[in-house]
Amino acid sequence: MEDKSKQGNPDSYDPIWDNETNPSAHSSEWIGAVLRYLFSFGSIKFESIYINKDRNKNSIIGTVAKLSLFFLVLYLAFSAV
């Protein structure tokens, strides 16, 4: 069953967030929003950052942060050997 709002506007269809149980997309989005909030030093309300309009921006920032952390851990693990 497809949501009626998606049937009316095919441009709003977004397969990454179609499934509410996609933990990777949602964790990246949340981490990106938290990082944007922290980098703004709290001058912008979190509710204005964590909105559907900024979903892709938050997800990209969160994905880059997760990949950076992953490669940092790999670097530290292999440099200790």
Side-chain angles (χ1 to χ4, degrees), residues 19-67:
N19 189 355
E20 290 294 325
T21 60
N22 187 347
S24 178
H26 293 291
S27 67
S28 294
E29 179 187 0
W30 186 82
I31 290 170
V34 168
L35 288 175
R36 286 181 60 205
Y37 177 75
L38 291 175
F39 286 134
S40 71
F41 299 108
S43 62
I44 303 171
K45 290 184 179 182
F46 186 75
E47 291 83 19
S48 65
I49 293 174
Y50 192 66
I51 57 175
N52 286 341
K53 185 179 83 169
D54 291 339
R55 198 175 247 185
N56 285 335
K57 187 186 303 183
N58 293 338
S59 181
I60 290 169
I61 293 170
T63 301
V64 168
K66 288 189 332 186
L67 286 174

Side-chain angles (χ1 to χ4, degrees), residues 5-21:
S5 63
K6 292 177 186 173
Q7 289 175 352
N9 188 2
D11 294 335
S12 68
Y13 177 70
D14 199 353
I16 293 174
W17 286 278
D18 189 34
N19 189 355
E20 290 294 325
T21 60

